[in-house]
Amino acid sequence: MDRPSSGMKNRDLEGFGLFKLQLADLLNYNASIRLATIWNYPSAFRDSLRSGNADVGLSMVEKMVERGDITSDDISTLTDALRKCELNGVATEVEKIFGENSSQADLIQPETNRQSEDEKEAMRQCAEHDNALSTLLQATEELGRKLEVPTPTGSGMNTLTKHRRERKEVEQELLHLKSSSLESIDTTEAFIHENQPYLSALQHSETRNRIRQLRKSLDRLMELSRKQLEDLTDQLLKLRTESPPQVEAMEPIDLDCVTIEATDSNGKHQSIIDQLKQASDKGSPIPMLILDRTFATIHENGNINLSSGLILPFISTVAVLVVRTEEGRVLSEAEFSGLLKYGSKSTRIQEYSFQHCDLPSLAGTSSREVLKELRERGAKVEWVDTTHCLNTSSGFWEMDNIDEIRKLGALGVAMYRRWRKESHALQIKMLQFASENKIPVKHLRLDLCYRSVTPDGTKLILQSGQTLSALSSVKMINIVTEDGRKIPEVELSQLLMYADQSQNLKELRFQCCELPPTVSASTISSEMKSKNFKVSWRTTGHRLNLHDRTWGIDDINNIRVSCDLGIPIYKQCSSHMHKLQMHLLTVASQNHIPIALINLVGSYSAVDVTTGSIILESGVVLPRVSSLRELAINAWGSELTAEDFDGLVSYSSQCAELYFYRCFLPWSVTTYRFPAHLHSANFQVLWKPEDKKVFTMDLVSGRWVNKETKVSLTEREYQDMLIRFRLKWK
């Protein structure tokens, strides 16, 4: 600050006058705007602050003196407001300089005590953040040990396939861990920024060091995982071309916890079944059997049909049966009863656990026999997604103990569109119980089940017809809509009104939808601004600026998460949304952030031959993105030309994969000559013209090869597919 304003003469540069000048230096643009908003200063004054024509700090101090918000003997109104805005560090510094320039030390004493309390609270929260970062670092070390297992060389097809599948599973774990880590880093960095005055240099340094270690570890593991998968793919491709498949014996299973996974081969499933039967015949105990997305149906003899087509016979020594379905699957009463009957020949199964699925009640007369068998065995049936247990007397679901609710709250709750109205009611009951008992719920994911919001913003209406009132314990709500659904400004304003009533809600997140360019100022309360409430639009990597109500690019960590999830670009969305997505992709590319996928869902129009960029249906241009891993073209029944194919191969030449689906390619692309550098880069071109068949392009011969059967596509088969395609789409 060069000189005092007209309201602060040089003769006043001591005591309260000097305090005002030092205060003006402390109050930056952000703090001044938040204070002016929370005190409801005239809009003309706030506009003058935003214009930048005046010294923001001096203008703010003069206005506070004029309105009596600060006096020579009392600044409590100011410090209270700063703390309400979560500017604790600024409040402490204000108290310090006021004490240095005032003889009213006795008036500062209560604030000093509060400062001590704030410091203790900041140190406690810092320890919590450090513990969370340490836990994530331990998780990266565990994944690192999995990746450090040497990649086998000179092995047969089955061993290589098994190792590649295991590496893909580790990669998925790593992506999930990365998402959680980036969210934790974002929260910790915001905490450090807001509470820096309370933290010692050592605390600040140690926390920053943990963040750097976590970032470095994640980047190293992602790169290691990528290289290992590429190496295994190379070995498999080489083996397929040089030698016939080898048959290998499967490894023995660990009987303490047996998992039959959907990603395993039929041969692996058969090996597990054989070993389970042997253990059962010998009377060897099997503490837990997990069906991980492998339950298909109940066989007519009461056994279980697996997704691989094999039958899982009755295993008499299983103690706990866990059925984990595909997310959101709805089990019928016959399927549910059949799974409970599986085990009725033995008293061994004492517990059934169901995850990711919707279950019916068993209150009808047809279920009496099943319930009677469960009571006689003393078996427990738990539904993890709702934290409810089956009452084996009435057949109705009852809420489990509070510890199970705490566990689910720490993981987060998901509600799915296809689930029964009664199931949504159970989940809402559990969420309300959590709020009443102050049990934190990490997030609530509304997966295609959000329908609308009431005009007064007091309730969310689900597709099932159930309503969800404001919940005080939920920290984040993630609304996942149908692809490209438009949420108008009025509806977004009502959703913000709903969020404002949820006491501990910190973020409202949207995916797969289109949001309006702005919202009404009246719907954004001063409290939402003061607590830095987040409105995230994951599909574009942007967040709403609550002060000017425009969309700005999100922080770099959330951009990474958006890019990990993939960017869908929908035909029905506006050019405004497409431009935001182009901004996201440009920022990601400039920062060398890997983009897992760009999916053009009906939005592809052409390739600009002069620039090599893709022109969307909206007219927006998709520039080349250097960090893109996969480009997918969903052309919604269109027949692409050879020029389209040529341009898209050229555009995606730096990617690992180009994927065409719901479209038809001309036969002439089989004469396309791929550049030599793509042969050695493991570049893949895949094509799925029909629901069940996927073809890969042999880059050397130019022939389409059935991915499952490894048989080349003939021109006759191609013509038959073209007729079916045109009948379906035209």
Side-chain angles (χ1 to χ4, degrees):
M1 190 175 303
D2 296 328
R3 62 176 182 269
S5 72
S6 59
M8 298 181 191
K9 306 297 184 184
N10 288 327
R11 62 183 172 81
D12 292 326
L13 293 184
E14 59 183 20
F16 187 56
L18 183 57
F19 164 73
K20 289 187 288 183
L21 283 178
Q22 292 173 333
L23 176 60
D25 280 335
L26 274 178
L27 296 178
N28 59 19
Y29 173 83
N30 180 49
S32 298
I33 290 293
R34 290 165 77 173
L35 286 171
T37 303
I38 204 171
W39 281 334
N40 199 26
Y41 279 7
S43 57
F45 175 74
R46 282 179 280 169
D47 290 341
S48 71
L49 294 180
R50 293 190 182 99
S51 69
N53 295 329
D55 187 309
V56 173
L58 278 174
S59 298
M60 192 65 198
V61 170
E62 289 175 347
K63 181 60 72 173
M64 285 191 285
V65 173
E66 175 189 322
R67 293 172 63 99
D69 291 322
I70 58 172
T71 66
S72 60
D73 58 2
D74 187 12
I75 60 166
S76 60
T77 303
L78 170 60
T79 54
D80 287 344
L82 287 169
R83 287 192 169 87
K84 190 172 182 181
C85 293
E86 296 185 355
L87 298 171
N88 295 337
V90 178
T92 301
E93 189 63 24
V94 168
E95 292 164 355
K96 178 182 175 184
I97 62 173
F98 183 70
E100 291 172 350
N101 292 284
S102 173
S103 61
Q104 307 298 323
D106 55 318
L107 297 174
I108 302 301
Q109 190 60 39
E111 301 299 332
T112 305
N113 293 336
R114 180 161 56 184
Q115 175 187 345
S116 177
E117 293 173 7
D118 290 342
E119 185 174 353
K120 289 178 182 177
E121 178 61 18
M123 292 174 68
R124 185 190 67 78
Q125 292 181 17
C126 185
E128 288 183 356
H129 285 288
D130 284 344
N131 289 337
L133 292 172
S134 297
T135 301
L136 291 167
L137 275 168
Q138 289 174 5
T140 61
E141 290 171 3
E142 291 174 9
L143 285 179
R145 284 191 285 273
K146 291 182 181 180
L147 289 171
E148 285 165 4
V149 176
T151 304
T153 55
S155 301
M157 183 74 73
N158 286 348
T159 298
L160 287 173
T161 302
K162 172 179 176 291
H163 277 272
R164 188 178 186 278
R165 183 171 61 249
E166 290 173 350
R167 286 296 190 270
K168 288 291 289 183
E169 291 169 4
V170 173
E171 183 185 51
Q172 290 303 310
E173 289 183 58
L174 188 54
L175 287 171
H176 179 73
L177 177 63
K178 185 177 180 181
S179 175
S180 301
S181 298
L182 292 177
E183 185 177 335
S184 183
I185 288 171
D186 183 31
T187 306
T188 304
E189 287 181 331
F191 168 80
I192 291 174
H193 178 73
E194 293 293 341
N195 294 275
Q196 190 167 355
Y198 297 123
L199 304 178
S200 67
L202 180 61
Q203 285 177 313
H204 189 274
S205 174
E206 288 179 344
T207 305
R208 286 287 183 192
N209 188 45
R210 284 190 182 89
I211 290 174
R212 281 192 294 271
Q213 285 180 318
L214 186 55
R215 285 190 190 280
K216 186 176 179 180
S217 180
L218 287 168
D219 291 341
R220 181 182 68 82
L221 293 179
M222 289 297 295
E223 182 63 19
L224 180 60
S225 175
R226 183 186 65 80
K227 287 181 178 178
Q228 288 185 353
L229 283 170
E230 287 178 356
D231 182 49
L232 286 166
T233 302
D234 286 344
Q235 291 187 55
L236 279 167
L237 289 172
K238 185 177 180 182
L239 201 60
R240 284 171 184 159
T241 56
E242 293 180 355
S243 61
Q246 301 177 18
V247 179
E248 299 180 0
M250 293 292 179
E251 297 178 3
I253 59 175
D254 179 6
L255 290 177
D256 286 340
C257 182
V258 182
T259 303
I260 305 178
E261 299 184 69
T263 52
D264 287 336
S265 65
N266 286 23
K268 178 72 175 288
H269 284 186
Q270 187 61 63
S271 174
I272 293 173
I273 291 169
D274 291 343
Q275 293 181 66
L276 286 171
K277 287 164 64 178
Q278 291 172 11
S280 180
D281 293 342
K282 293 177 182 177
S284 302
I286 302 169
M288 182 176 291
L289 172 61
I290 302 174
L291 303 183
D292 191 356
R293 294 162 294 144
T294 49
F295 168 68
T297 57
I298 295 296
H299 193 269
E300 58 186 12
N301 63 5
N303 292 330
I304 294 174
N305 290 324
L306 300 178
S307 57
S308 58
L310 299 174
I311 296 175
L312 177 66
F314 173 68
I315 307 298
S316 62
T317 56
V318 172
V320 177
L321 178 63
V322 178
V323 180
R324 187 183 299 142
T325 70
E326 307 82 7
E327 287 198 356
R329 176 173 173 179
V330 178
L331 294 185
S332 67
E333 185 172 340
E335 290 172 325
F336 184 39
S337 297
L339 284 164
L340 297 179
K341 287 178 183 177
Y342 181 84
S344 60
K345 303 172 186 177
S346 168
T347 59
R348 287 293 186 103
I349 295 187
Q350 295 297 301
E351 185 175 334
Y352 297 83
S353 178
F354 293 86
Q355 301 173 18
H356 304 329
C357 54
D358 181 27
L359 301 173
S361 63
L362 297 179
T365 54
S366 59
S367 303
R368 287 177 181 172
E369 183 182 343
V370 179
L371 295 174
K372 181 181 177 183
E373 289 173 351
L374 291 171
R375 287 197 302 274
E376 289 174 349
R377 285 190 281 132
K380 179 182 179 182
V381 183
E382 66 171 0
W383 185 1
V384 175
D385 304 270
T386 65
T387 64
H388 278 63
C389 289
L390 187 70
N391 184 317
T392 54
S393 295
S394 66
F396 288 109
W397 292 100
E398 295 179 347
M399 196 174 295
D400 207 343
N401 64 65
I402 197 167
D403 290 334
E404 294 302 317
I405 296 173
R406 285 197 179 96
K407 288 178 186 177
L408 183 61
L411 295 171
V413 178
M415 302 178 75
Y416 300 97
R417 177 175 189 165
R418 291 181 295 169
W419 283 18
R420 300 172 181 87
K421 182 176 182 178
E422 295 77 13
S423 303
H424 283 168
L426 292 179
Q427 288 185 297
I428 291 170
K429 178 183 175 184
M430 180 270 294
L431 288 167
Q432 290 171 339
F433 180 86
S435 290
E436 290 166 2
N437 290 273
K438 298 181 180 179
I439 299 172
V441 177
K442 182 179 179 182
H443 68 257
L444 171 60
R445 178 183 171 92
L446 302 179
D447 198 327
L448 302 179
C449 67
Y450 163 75
R451 180 195 294 173
S452 60
V453 57
T454 55
D456 59 359
T458 57
K459 293 180 181 178
L460 300 182
I461 303 173
L462 306 184
Q463 296 287 359
S464 63
Q466 293 284 0
T467 59
L468 191 61
S469 300
L471 300 165
S472 62
S473 63
V474 176
K475 295 183 178 181
M476 187 268 282
I477 295 178
N478 187 9
I479 296 177
V480 183
T481 70
E482 305 81 3
D483 287 352
R485 170 177 167 179
K486 285 180 166 58
I487 293 182
E489 182 182 341
V490 171
E491 186 174 353
L492 180 57
S493 297
Q494 292 163 349
L495 285 166
L496 290 174
M497 291 164 61
Y498 175 86
D500 201 19
Q501 299 170 59
S502 302
Q503 184 179 351
N504 291 306
L505 191 67
K506 297 181 187 232
E507 181 179 357
L508 189 58
R509 183 180 297 172
F510 296 90
Q511 284 180 244
C512 302
C513 58
E514 178 174 1
L515 299 174
T518 187
V519 292
S520 169
S522 61
T523 59
I524 301 176
S525 68
S526 58
E527 185 175 349
M528 292 182 81
K529 294 176 184 177
S530 66
K531 70 178 183 179
N532 198 26
F533 186 80
K534 289 178 66 175
V535 182
S536 306
W537 190 359
R538 273 288 161 86
T539 317
T540 67
H542 283 63
R543 62 186 289 185
L544 188 65
N545 184 317
L546 299 184
H547 295 284
D548 62 14
R549 308 185 312 285
T550 60
W551 294 100
I553 197 73
D554 212 336
D555 62 69
I556 206 75
N557 294 328
N558 286 328
I559 290 175
R560 286 192 179 97
V561 174
S562 293
C563 292
D564 282 343
L565 293 171
I567 310 299
I569 303 177
Y570 303 110
K571 176 181 180 177
Q572 64 268 39
C573 292
S574 66
S575 60
H576 169 258
M577 178 172 172
H578 288 170
K579 288 175 182 176
L580 292 181
Q581 291 180 304
M582 298 312 106
H583 185 203
L584 163 67
L585 294 170
T586 302
V587 171
S589 186
Q590 290 170 347
N591 288 274
H592 309 291
I593 297 172
I595 302 164
L597 168 70
I598 294 177
N599 188 4
L600 303 183
V601 187
S603 56
Y604 167 76
S605 176
V607 175
D608 187 329
V609 293
T610 58
T611 64
S613 301
I614 292 175
I615 303 171
L616 304 179
E617 287 280 353
S618 63
V620 174
V621 174
L622 171 60
R624 287 181 176 273
V625 183
S626 60
S627 57
L628 178 62
R629 297 281 176 83
E630 178 185 346
L631 175 67
I633 309 295
N634 175 357
W636 275 2
S638 297
E639 294 182 30
L640 302 183
T641 66
E643 289 75 19
D644 289 320
F645 183 81
D646 186 5
L648 289 166
V649 169
S650 176
Y651 178 91
S652 56
S653 58
Q654 293 183 334
C655 303
E657 192 171 295
L658 173 61
Y659 187 17
F660 297 92
Y661 64 109
R662 293 181 185 168
C663 62
F664 218 80
L665 299 172
W667 179 254
S668 60
V669 303
T670 57
T671 63
Y672 184 84
R673 292 294 171 258
F674 290 88
H677 75 274
L678 293 182
H679 296 187
S680 59
N682 294 324
F683 179 69
Q684 284 193 91
V685 181
L686 294 98
W687 177 35
K688 188 178 181 182
E690 298 180 317
D691 289 337
K692 295 183 179 179
K693 292 182 180 178
V694 179
F695 297 93
T696 60
M697 174 68 81
D698 186 317
L699 303 189
V700 178
S701 67
R703 303 294 293 271
W704 288 112
V705 179
N706 188 301
K707 190 175 182 182
E708 183 176 353
T709 65
K710 313 304 178 190
V711 177
S712 296
L713 177 68
T714 66
E715 190 167 1
R716 174 63 184 272
E717 291 170 328
Y718 172 88
Q719 294 298 334
D720 290 343
M721 284 197 315
L722 178 58
I723 292 170
R724 292 195 297 270
F725 182 85
R726 286 175 173 171
L727 285 172
K728 177 179 179 179
W729 290 99
K730 302 299 181 185

